Amino acid sequence: MTSTISSDWQDIAERLGSANRLTAGWRDADRPAILRVHAGRYGPMPALPRRADWLIGAVTEAGLTGRGGAGFPTGRKLRAVAEQRGEPVVVANGMESEPASGKDKALLARAPHLVLDGVVLAAAAVGASTAHLCLPRGRNRLIADLRHAVGERAHAGIDPVAIEVHELPHGYVASSETAVVNWLNGGDAKPTATPPRPYQKGVGKRPTLISNVETFAHVALIARFGPGWFRRAGAGGATGSMLVTIAGAVRAPGVYEVEAGTQIGLALDRGGLHGQARSVLVGGYFGSWHEIGQVGTLPLASGPLKSVGAAPGAGVLYALPPDACGVAETARVLGWLAGESANQCGPCMFGLPAIADDFAQLASGRPRGNLYDRLHRRLDVVSGRGACAHPDGAVRLARSALSAFAADVRAHASGRLCGPARRGRGDGPALPLPPSFGGSGRDSWR
Amino acid sequence: MTRRLAVNPIACTGHGICASMLPELIGLDEWGYPIMPDHPVPDDLTPLARRTVRLCPTLALRLESADRR
Amino acid sequence: MTTAHVLWYLTRATGIVALILLTGTIVLGVIGTARAASPRWPRLLTAGLHRNLALTATGLVAVHVVTTVTDPFVSISLVAAFVPFASAYRPIWLSLGAVAFDLMLAVLITSLLRDRLSHRAWRAVHLLVYICWPVALWHGLGTGTDTKLIWVLAINLGCVIAVLAAVWWRLSLTGNEAVRLAGRLTLAVATLLTAIFVLVGPLQPGWSVRAGTPPALLGLGAALQVLT
């Protein structure tokens, strides 16, 4: 069921291209778009749907998938929540704990009302009357801006749904769906065991729609301009546009909006890829390393990427600088990921540090015992045995490094080390890593 | 009716009684935590599986019933 | 031998054996929390034996209660098996038995209904065995008419040593210094108090009187002892 868009939005829809939808007007301002500017840019807020009404169908037809990392079809999620018994709750996940990603912060900082529109529209579509926006503690400016935006809307009286803004612990696993729900329920921001999943029983034991803030922004656009318009952008089976964070060996690192399913190589070129960069990290620290030569022509979409064991993830494309050692960088990240464990499940609590230790041995060129067998056994045994996807992501990263940097791995294992490792890197480590959450013992999970 | 063994990884504290009771199906990783089989529990082992579930000190182990697909 | 005799013997026998089984249960429970195991003594043995000994001990205590209540010699009502200070016979020491019995029942019921309780609730009740056992021990020492017998003393001593050793060892495995110290201190103090109590109480002549045996039974009891 494609709703014809009203003339209010016809002109605006024409103006918004395929990669200028979320980021329209970002270049001209460095402050969040206030309500008036937002309305001028995207047109007025659409009429709110009733529960399980047209919006769910529109989002489904548009083919929107979650932009938080899991890529679950959003229309299906909306319908699942709307069909549960009881009044649902909506949660917008703006935690973005992935260190290599900056898209959610950028979106919230520049176009908060697009996100909030989406939250309110989705709430109406699933029949919720409460909504929460979760942000990481410590981002005081961002939190203040969002509280201000919510205040603007309250003042203008445009929302029947009140949105509460919350500050949560900023650990890596604290941004996972069940962790956010657990925190909203009064517990720690640690993942919980499923079943039940949030869409069945979440905040206050009610069906909970929890999605990434960028996903909600796209919902706001679909509600205005329709699924047909949304599908005008996209390739490789993916539809619409997406935000990506391009970083590493690129001239202009930052957040870009591209068509979903853009070729990875083209996206990297937009950031100005270094001529000698050979490897790229796709998705995030829970994603995978690949040779640019191998994935450059692949679309940044889940279907095509599955064949090489990759996924769009959080939209991170990090090009490894040619003078950096992929093995050492991965060892660093694995050590950090191990420290970010919530320490609730044995395989993660003990397995990740063990894997990180093996990789550290590899990086230093001093492997102990039969490293290959031990490491591969551990990778097989740790994946899939935690309550959340944290160990799975670390294992994926490790496995992909062994494959993408195979020649370097062999050199390191024999004690020779690869070229970059031997030469060292003047600028220090390449991949950004914040201080380990909970490492100091002073951070609270509550 | 297929039955599968599943463990709540948060409740599990690695006592290993399950692996001791049902070594045919449950193994232990190098840190003492149980590895569930990825195939269903055979009918002849189901009564033993039920006893094993009851003996878990933290009630982390469960036997799930799923209709054959 | 009269019915009264048989019941009296049963009461004493089930009491002593129950204490031994309860001691074994606690030792196995402690071994379980320490996750100790060997190829010839697997985890399932500790877990299964702990459960079976606990059930057997509880059953024996139930028999112990029945034989006590139906014993025509002393008038101890069924109420007194559950409610402290409900009997005229050695009120304090019998009440300890009632308390221990109540605690045992709480542990039994919560364990049987474990899948309906939160793990934390079940565990909180289960930890009460650390109160139940010493209370049962003192109950036996104070109420029991055999405490002076050398082999009964030996059994009691053996039980104390077993639990003492098990908990002392278990505490050595914890990294928490404060808990280890506090636990061992408690063990030492409790053992000392028990030793002092036994020396100035049941082992001294005239304990029957001081323990609160009704005067009407005093002479008869002595007579029975002479006869047997």
Side-chain angles (χ1 to χ4, degrees):
Chain A
M1 175 199 70
T2 317
S3 55
T4 45
I5 53 180
S6 85
S7 56
D8 285 350
W9 296 307
Q10 203 104 14
D11 301 330
I12 302 173
E14 295 303 317
R15 186 168 34 84
L16 297 173
S18 53
N20 186 36
R21 302 174 163 193
L22 302 174
T23 54
W26 283 20
R27 248 200 304 243
D28 305 325
D30 61 350
R31 295 290 300 123
I34 57 171
L35 198 50
R36 194 177 32 81
V37 171
H38 166 74
R41 187 174 292 159
Y42 293 108
M45 177 79 159
L48 294 177
R50 280 196 307 270
R51 184 166 182 168
D53 210 346
W54 57 268
L55 183 58
I56 298 184
V59 171
T60 310
E61 195 187 317
L64 174 65
T65 55
R67 299 287 196 249
F72 194 81
T74 309
R76 214 186 315 161
K77 201 187 249 195
L78 286 169
R79 191 173 304 283
V81 173
E83 281 173 353
Q84 298 292 315
R85 269 196 318 154
E87 188 188 281
V89 173
V90 172
V91 178
N93 191 341
M95 296 287 288
E96 193 166 52
S97 56
E98 175 59 53
S101 178
K103 69 176 180 81
D104 293 337
K105 294 175 204 61
L107 178 64
L108 288 165
R110 301 291 176 85
H113 285 291
L114 201 54
V115 174
L116 297 174
D117 279 357
V119 171
V120 172
L121 286 160
V126 301
S129 61
T130 43
H132 305 274
L133 170 63
C134 293
L135 301 172
R137 212 169 275 158
R139 298 258 163 201
N140 299 320
R141 168 82 168 262
L142 192 68
I143 293 166
D145 284 344
L146 264 301
R147 289 220 159 99
H148 177 79
V150 170
E152 273 189 289
R153 299 173 79 94
H155 186 73
I158 53 176
D159 297 334
V161 178
I163 304 172
E164 284 178 49
V165 179
H166 304 274
E167 302 173 49
L168 274 71
H170 56 84
Y172 191 64
V173 300
S175 65
S176 94
E177 285 191 352
T178 55
V180 170
V181 166
N182 199 39
W183 187 90
L184 286 169
N185 279 334
D188 287 344
K190 292 183 182 178
T192 55
T194 55
R197 301 213 86 97
Y199 82 89
Q200 297 164 308
K201 263 204 190 55
V203 178
K205 296 225 199 319
R206 302 202 261 147
T208 301
L209 171 73
I210 171 165
S211 286
N212 179 267
V213 288
E214 187 194 335
T215 313
F216 283 109
H218 288 292
V219 169
L221 294 177
I222 294 171
R224 284 174 165 81
F225 310 122
W229 167 87
F230 189 78
R231 296 184 76 97
R232 273 192 228 159
T239 56
S241 65
M242 65 189 285
L243 294 176
V244 294
T245 312
I246 303 185
V250 293
R251 262 193 319 275
V255 174
Y256 292 82
E257 184 175 10
V258 299
E259 280 188 65
T262 295
Q263 282 188 15
I264 290 178
L266 290 179
L268 286 170
D269 283 338
R270 266 190 70 182
L273 182 65
H274 189 291
Q276 283 161 337
R278 273 185 20 246
S279 318
V280 61
L281 177 64
V282 178
Y285 289 167
F286 58 92
S288 46
W289 287 106
H290 300 274
E291 288 183 44
I292 296 178
Q294 211 204 4
V295 300
T297 53
L298 288 182
L300 193 53
S302 57
L305 287 182
K306 212 186 286 201
S307 59
V308 293
V316 168
L317 291 174
Y318 185 96
L320 186 70
D323 62 345
C325 167
V327 178
E329 293 288 334
T330 305
R332 257 183 83 238
V333 173
L334 287 173
W336 184 82
L337 289 174
E340 289 293 310
S341 170
N343 292 330
Q344 301 187 112
C345 309
C348 175
M349 200 165 31
F350 298 107
L352 290 198
I355 290 171
D357 186 63
D358 285 341
F359 245 88
Q361 290 175 27
L362 207 53
S364 67
R366 285 192 292 276
R368 285 199 296 275
N370 190 338
L371 182 94
Y372 275 145
D373 284 353
R374 190 173 67 236
L375 179 56
H376 279 286
R377 197 184 57 236
R378 286 171 170 173
L379 291 172
D380 285 338
V381 127
V382 164
S383 197
R385 288 175 62 228
C388 73
H390 184 59
D392 304 20
V395 166
R396 185 180 307 123
L397 183 74
R399 279 210 177 106
S400 68
L402 292 175
S403 160
F405 306 121
D408 294 341
V409 167
R410 277 197 300 276
H412 277 259
S414 68
R416 276 179 295 126
L417 297 190
C418 65
R422 267 181 277 126
R423 287 189 287 273
R425 190 161 188 269
D427 295 331
L431 287 165
L433 286 178
S436 191
F437 180 80
S440 67
R442 274 182 292 117
D443 296 305
S444 160
W445 286 89
R446 173 74 210 140
Chain B
M1 176 73 78
T2 53
R3 291 182 183 84
R4 283 184 183 276
L5 283 168
V7 66
N8 178 335
I10 297 179
C12 175
T13 49
H15 279 271
I17 291 176
C18 56
S20 180
M21 283 280 287
L22 212 46
E24 300 91 333
L25 295 176
I26 301 177
L28 290 178
D29 64 22
E30 64 184 276
W31 307 286
Y33 288 84
I35 303 173
M36 295 294 116
D38 37 35
H39 57 84
V41 177
D43 289 334
D44 57 332
L45 285 176
T46 300
L48 190 53
R50 278 199 236 270
R51 276 219 299 282
T52 307
V53 165
R54 276 212 316 271
L55 271 186
C56 173
T58 54
L59 289 183
L61 191 65
R62 61 181 192 275
L63 196 56
E64 291 175 331
S65 305
D67 289 318
R68 286 187 207 277
R69 286 179 202 279
Chain C
M1 208 140 77
T2 67
T3 320
H5 266 111
V6 172
L7 288 173
W8 188 30
Y9 279 133
L10 272 176
T11 299
R12 292 144 72 196
T14 51
I16 292 172
V17 177
L19 180 70
I20 296 172
L21 293 184
L22 220 52
T23 301
T25 307
I26 286 201
V27 169
L28 287 167
V30 166
I31 290 176
T33 64
R35 289 130 192 268
S38 77
R40 280 195 292 164
W41 188 283
R43 297 297 317 278
L44 76 91
L45 190 51
T46 306
L49 209 51
H50 171 81
R51 189 169 182 272
N52 290 339
L53 278 188
L55 289 172
T56 313
T58 313
L60 276 178
V61 171
V63 173
H64 176 79
V65 165
V66 166
T67 54
T68 303
V69 166
T70 54
D71 191 332
F73 227 67
V74 283
S75 70
I76 297 173
S77 68
L78 188 60
V79 173
F82 300 93
V83 180
F85 297 109
S87 107
Y89 183 89
R90 304 200 187 191
I92 296 177
W93 309 106
L94 202 77
S95 301
L96 289 182
V99 169
F101 188 44
D102 292 338
L103 290 172
M104 277 186 84
L105 286 176
V107 171
L108 176 76
I109 292 171
T110 50
S111 287
L112 290 176
L113 298 176
R114 204 145 64 98
D115 42 12
R116 284 174 226 266
L117 286 174
S118 81
H119 182 66
R120 217 178 297 165
W122 169 84
R123 193 162 179 273
V125 173
H126 215 81
L127 287 175
L128 292 174
V129 295
Y130 285 122
I131 299 178
C132 171
W133 182 85
V135 167
L137 181 79
W138 294 331
H139 160 75
L141 291 169
T143 319
T145 39
D146 300 303
T147 306
K148 278 198 206 151
L149 296 176
I150 195 80
W151 59 274
V152 171
L153 267 178
I155 289 177
N156 275 295
L157 187 63
C159 290
V160 168
I161 290 175
V163 171
L164 201 61
V167 180
W168 191 275
W169 166 76
R170 176 67 182 88
L171 285 170
S172 73
L173 298 176
T174 178
N176 191 329
E177 285 272 5
V179 163
R180 186 166 54 242
L181 237 58
R184 289 182 168 173
L185 201 62
T186 312
L187 285 177
V189 167
T191 311
L192 197 62
L193 286 176
T194 307
I196 294 174
F197 158 61
V198 169
L199 287 171
V200 309
L203 289 187
Q204 296 299 327
W207 171 247
S208 290
V209 177
R210 283 191 293 139
T213 312
L217 293 174
L218 281 172
L220 287 164
L224 265 172
Q225 293 214 333
V226 166
L227 285 171
T228 47

